[in-house]
Amino acid sequence: MDFLEQVRRRVVFGAIVILASAGAASAAQSTIRNPTKRTYTQALVRVGTLPAGSEAVVKSGGKEIPSQVETTEHGGIVWICQDFAPGSSTTFDVSGGTAAKIGPLVKVTKDDAHNLIVLDNGTIRIAVSTAMNADGSAPGPIASISADGKTFGKSFWHTGRKLTKFTAEVVGDGPLFGKVHLHYDFDGPAGADGKLASFADIEVRVAPGWNHAEIVERHEMSRGEYWEFVASDGWKPTEGIARPFSAGPGSGSVSDVPKPNRALKPGALPNQQNDLYINLFPRWNQHYKDGFLFAATDGQYAVGAAVVRAGQWVWPHDNSIQAIVKDSGNYAGLRGQTWHGARLWWLFAGPVARVPDDGYIARYGHEDLDKLNQDFVLDWDGHKGGFNSINPYDGGQINPTGGIRQQGKAAVAAAGKTADVGVLTLAQFMMHPDTYGSYWLHWSPENPNFFTDFARVPIALTAQLRTHPDFERFRHQAEMMFREDVYHSITMPSGAGQECPGYQRHAMEAWRSLAPLCKQYLKFDPTSWPEMAAADRFLRRISQPAGAGNRCDLPIGDTHPGKNGPAPVDVPAAEVAKWTTEELQGFGVIFNNRPGTARETYLSFKAGPNRGHYHGDQLSFHYCADAHAIAVDHHCSYKPRAGQEHMHNRVAFSTDDMPYANMDGYERLIAFKTSKVADISVGQVESDRLREVTKLPPENWDQEFPQHKFDGSPLIYRRTIVFMKSADASPDYFVVRDQ
């Protein structure tokens, strides 16, 4: 198994034990634990598998209990639905046989007259479409949702593609849960290379006691395509309920933050898409426009969505659920893009009192009892303590710039201790991709240092689990999480960080703090990894002259200077003397002549796509002559602070209608050549849009400005830098050409 496959497997936690081989259905036992202080009522949990097509007989204390076998590619999964008291441990006997018939807890019925399949658990009733529309177009997946005798909503597709095939199949027909699988085939290609067939898969599930329907999706289509559930159809909601992650927009000039619960009107979010009420995303971040729950309400009833289980989302940033509102003040749409990837979310309806709160989301989401028993080791004989976790949506618990950093330092200091059950479960919970996502599922870390600070806690905690019988499992997970962080943070072979230099240094300090305990307790030595040596070398290599014989940090992006300017960097003089102009993959180019002397010429050219905590500095340069800084990055960070993307020596755009336009996009190096007399480097940025910004744009988290897109070919910005090197007393000079 290669390195990448090992790391990817870190995101796969649970495994269901096969209870019987094909052709046999022998008895086996399964124990379900409730490690929490919560009472789980009608908890739907797996107790094993049987060969596909088998029925199950499940007994507890010699008494048969209701069960359901779900047929999957892994065999028949045996489910039960039971109550579990806090701290309880219940053993179930599972065997093949003919199960006793019981009245269904969820009714699944077909309404052929209206082309519907209806799932009804007595609390909610959801109707799913089963046939193409009369004109052959794609039917919206959800026809309606009902609660307390009230029916709400409808859905529609937004796509120019022709529907070539549509199927609706009942894959869970009780008695414990109902489940419908919808499959759409569309014409035309999809995928980055255009070689995939366009499709959308949607599964809808309802279980006992739920106030929501679970919706699981996979799709491959194109940008701008989506389906939307019109939550306001059939009634007149006028207010919205939202659970945003952040209390404010950052350090910018916007002080009037919109209230989470407000009228269903556009324009409340400054510097955002006008019709966006909130963007639903299944993990905490700093953006005040993002949250995990939305509902439209008339004061009595509410219909809405919640997003859960970050580890079930692929390309999550392209799969958020947008709550859309209109000028009418009584429209609420739940819009899910279907470009690529996967997501898992809930659709709910009912009285306002039943809108999911934090406890409900924990019980059925990140602390679902089935998840805890499938994905976690919950026992440690002879050790005290109880279940411990964190709330993935609470910034006070999960914000990596807050208490997490102190927890990381404390966990490193405590590595020599032996843990209790609380540490056992917390370490697993923080390593689980449901909690902070995973790079391998295309999650952004928001900023790479966030993942580093967050991951340090469970990696260090794992050292305390070294006497646990399953320590090898935990140790491997911790190593894979560390490798995941380093692999995605450092570009090889240059060692350039995805972060700007100051934050790369911060990450490396965290890694170094972990290295001794990893080597002593976790059976791996990160200091031996080639990325670590390359990253060290990169920070030395990009250091700028600060007078003859002295060097300091290259202070670009959010590389915070100290009171006396950029931090000093210690580089051996013999190493500096060997430097020549060099490409650094991911970053760009460092030009040098006479390095380490009083006449050193230095220029950094940001011509690589690494972006974390860099500014809008595509193809900008930072210039030093005679061993001193001459033309620099705007060189301010938190105090003073400047969020202006256009304060860089890069091309600017201006028209009568857009006096301050900004071209974004990822820069890359397209040509590079050196010689004794001249070095040349060509960088390029391509973009299909300009952004209309203001003269002094406020610094708000994740702000958006009006976009002016180009039809056809993209706008291309190319910068050529020629370095003419002097061999005598005459000065070096640069020729810069912008196209």
Side-chain angles (χ1 to χ4, degrees):
M1 185 186 304
D2 65 18
F3 162 68
L4 291 184
E5 180 61 20
Q6 290 184 55
V7 180
R8 288 189 182 100
R9 290 195 176 192
R10 190 190 72 80
V11 306
V12 181
F13 274 65
I16 301 170
V17 178
I18 300 296
L19 297 180
S21 59
S26 59
Q29 286 190 330
S30 176
T31 299
I32 300 298
R33 289 205 48 209
N34 176 8
T36 75
K37 297 179 180 179
R38 177 189 299 113
T39 297
Y40 286 81
T41 303
Q42 291 187 311
L44 192 66
V45 296
R46 288 168 284 182
V47 291
T49 66
L50 291 170
S54 300
E55 283 192 60
V57 175
V58 182
K59 295 182 178 181
S60 178
K63 181 180 179 181
E64 184 175 355
I65 62 173
S67 63
Q68 180 172 335
V69 179
E70 179 183 15
T71 300
T72 73
E73 61 183 345
H74 304 294
I77 300 176
V78 183
W79 294 85
I80 61 169
C81 183
Q82 287 288 290
D83 299 343
F84 295 88
S88 63
S89 180
T90 309
T91 298
F92 299 92
D93 296 300
V94 184
S95 63
T98 301
K101 302 302 179 183
I102 66 166
L105 300 178
V106 176
K107 295 180 181 178
V108 180
T109 57
K110 292 186 177 181
D111 181 352
D112 293 331
H114 298 94
N115 296 321
L116 300 174
I117 296 173
V118 179
L119 309 178
D120 187 347
N121 70 356
T123 302
I124 61 164
R125 179 179 182 273
I126 190 163
V128 179
S129 302
T130 63
M132 293 183 182
N133 293 328
D135 61 0
S137 62
I142 307 300
S144 66
I145 186 169
S146 304
D148 287 12
K150 304 286 186 179
T151 298
F152 313 92
K154 66 179 181 180
S155 61
F156 65 89
W157 277 92
H158 176 82
T159 175
R161 297 177 185 270
K162 180 181 178 182
L163 182 65
T164 59
K165 183 180 179 181
F166 173 67
T167 58
E169 178 186 8
V170 175
V171 293
D173 194 10
L176 304 186
F177 64 86
K179 188 175 182 179
V180 179
H181 175 241
L182 306 178
H183 181 81
Y184 298 80
D185 283 329
F186 295 97
D187 68 348
D193 57 4
K195 295 182 179 179
L196 295 177
S198 297
F199 76 92
D201 264 326
I202 301 174
E203 288 187 342
V204 182
R205 184 170 71 142
V206 173
W210 288 6
N211 298 339
H212 68 275
E214 179 186 81
I215 300 175
V216 180
E217 301 184 62
R218 295 187 310 119
H219 34 254
E220 285 287 345
M221 296 176 71
S222 296
R223 286 181 190 262
E225 295 181 299
Y226 59 84
W227 71 273
E228 184 164 330
F229 181 75
V230 185
S232 55
D233 186 72
W235 60 309
K236 296 293 183 182
T238 57
E239 300 288 323
I241 299 171
R243 300 282 186 83
F245 292 128
S246 172
S251 61
S253 63
V254 177
S255 58
D256 186 17
V257 179
K259 295 180 180 180
N261 302 342
R262 59 184 186 274
L264 295 175
K265 286 280 191 177
L269 298 175
N271 301 312
Q272 299 295 331
Q273 178 181 324
N274 189 57
D275 60 357
L276 181 68
Y277 189 101
I278 192 170
N279 185 61
L280 302 183
F281 195 66
R283 187 198 70 194
W284 172 90
N285 60 48
Q286 289 181 314
H287 305 157
Y288 65 101
K289 73 172 177 60
D290 288 347
F292 58 94
L293 181 142
F294 166 81
T297 180
D298 61 0
Q300 183 177 3
Y301 291 94
V303 179
V307 290
V308 295
R309 302 281 185 101
Q312 301 297 316
W313 291 57
V314 181
W315 292 111
H317 303 268
D318 299 320
N319 278 280
S320 61
I321 304 291
Q322 295 181 327
I324 301 298
V325 294
K326 295 183 178 181
D327 290 333
S328 64
N330 59 13
Y331 182 91
L334 299 170
R335 180 175 297 174
Q337 304 288 333
T338 53
W339 175 16
H340 57 183
R343 60 176 166 251
L344 187 156
W345 60 287
W346 297 343
L347 179 65
F348 59 82
V352 171
R354 289 212 299 256
V355 171
D357 58 16
D358 288 348
Y360 185 95
I361 292 175
R363 184 254 180 267
Y364 290 105
H366 47 276
E367 292 183 10
D368 178 72
L369 193 60
D370 179 64
K371 169 186 167 178
L372 296 184
N373 279 270
Q374 290 295 321
D375 294 0
F376 290 78
V377 175
L378 302 171
D379 297 309
W380 199 354
D381 290 342
H383 288 255
K384 297 181 180 180
F387 178 78
N388 193 12
S389 68
I390 61 175
N391 182 346
Y393 303 121
D394 182 354
Q397 298 183 46
I398 200 172
N399 182 350
T401 69
I404 288 288
R405 288 180 177 170
Q406 302 310 314
Q407 292 176 37
K409 293 177 182 178
V412 169
K417 297 181 179 180
T418 299
D420 61 9
V421 175
V423 173
L424 168 70
T425 52
L426 180 61
Q428 294 176 83
F429 200 91
M430 293 185 72
M431 286 192 286
H432 198 291
D434 276 358
T435 305
Y436 205 76
S438 168
Y439 277 113
W440 302 114
L441 299 174
H442 310 291
W443 275 89
S444 164
E446 299 301 326
N447 289 302
N449 75 96
F450 283 12
F451 190 91
T452 299
D453 284 324
F454 184 84
R456 179 165 65 161
V457 179
I459 292 171
L461 290 178
T462 301
Q464 299 183 43
L465 308 179
R466 57 190 174 276
T467 61
H468 193 283
D470 291 306
F471 174 64
E472 177 57 29
R473 167 180 172 169
F474 309 138
R475 183 212 67 77
H476 182 68
Q477 289 175 3
E479 180 180 353
M480 292 300 99
M481 194 174 200
F482 203 148
R483 287 185 179 274
E484 176 181 3
D485 185 18
V486 172
Y487 178 85
H488 286 90
S489 296
I490 301 300
T491 301
M492 294 295 282
S494 71
Q498 289 293 335
E499 276 287 6
C500 69
Y503 278 88
Q504 179 173 347
R505 190 178 301 282
H506 169 82
M508 295 182 69
E509 290 171 355
W511 294 339
R512 290 191 184 100
S513 74
L514 285 170
L517 69 89
C518 291
K519 186 174 182 179
Q520 181 176 0
Y521 301 119
L522 303 183
K523 303 179 185 178
F524 68 95
D525 180 8
T527 63
S528 68
W529 299 346
E531 292 89 349
M532 300 291 276
D536 267 330
R537 195 258 177 185
F538 172 80
L539 290 176
R540 298 195 305 272
R541 182 65 188 86
I542 65 171
S543 63
Q544 70 177 37
N550 298 311
R551 307 200 76 78
C552 65
D553 270 336
L554 172 60
I556 61 175
D558 268 5
T559 297
H560 309 315
K563 293 181 180 179
N564 299 317
V569 178
D570 184 20
V571 190
E575 180 179 347
V576 175
K578 296 178 182 178
W579 289 346
T580 59
T581 298
E582 182 178 356
E583 174 189 356
L584 298 169
Q585 295 84 358
F587 175 83
V589 175
I590 298 292
F591 293 88
N592 287 106
N593 195 27
R594 294 183 290 266
T597 72
R599 294 190 59 209
E600 177 175 349
T601 303
Y602 170 102
L603 185 141
S604 73
F605 181 32
K606 184 61 175 65
N610 293 9
R611 286 253 62 84
H613 271 107
Y614 284 101
H615 298 153
D617 55 3
Q618 296 93 330
L619 305 187
S620 66
F621 60 80
H622 182 101
Y623 172 49
C624 301
D626 294 330
H628 288 84
I630 302 296
V632 300
D633 181 283
H634 59 69
H635 201 172
C636 54
S637 189
Y638 290 146
K639 297 179 180 180
R641 184 162 185 151
Q644 288 78 10
E645 294 187 8
H646 54 277
M647 291 178 62
H648 293 272
N649 48 58
R650 48 176 278 190
V651 70
F653 298 88
S654 179
T655 71
D656 291 342
D657 296 329
M658 292 188 295
Y660 301 98
N662 188 322
M663 176 187 178
D664 54 11
Y666 290 92
E667 65 273 30
R668 58 194 175 100
L669 196 65
I670 63 171
F672 177 69
K673 186 74 173 178
T674 63
S675 72
K676 291 183 178 180
V677 297
D679 304 328
I680 183 171
S681 181
V682 183
Q684 182 165 296
V685 180
E686 301 176 18
S687 181
D688 63 357
R689 67 184 186 182
L690 285 176
R691 292 186 297 167
E692 182 181 346
V693 299
T694 57
K695 182 178 182 179
L696 296 173
E699 186 180 351
N700 302 317
W701 301 128
D702 201 31
Q703 60 188 324
E704 296 180 6
F705 293 99
Q707 298 177 14
H708 297 261
K709 294 194 175 183
F710 305 115
D711 294 328
S713 300
L715 179 66
I716 297 175
Y717 166 39
R718 181 176 296 172
R719 169 168 278 182
T720 300
I721 296 182
V722 181
F723 181 26
M724 301 302 298
K725 295 177 283 189
S726 171
D728 52 30
S730 58
D732 302 326
Y733 64 92
F734 290 88
V735 178
V736 181
R737 184 189 188 200
D738 286 334
Q739 297 168 268

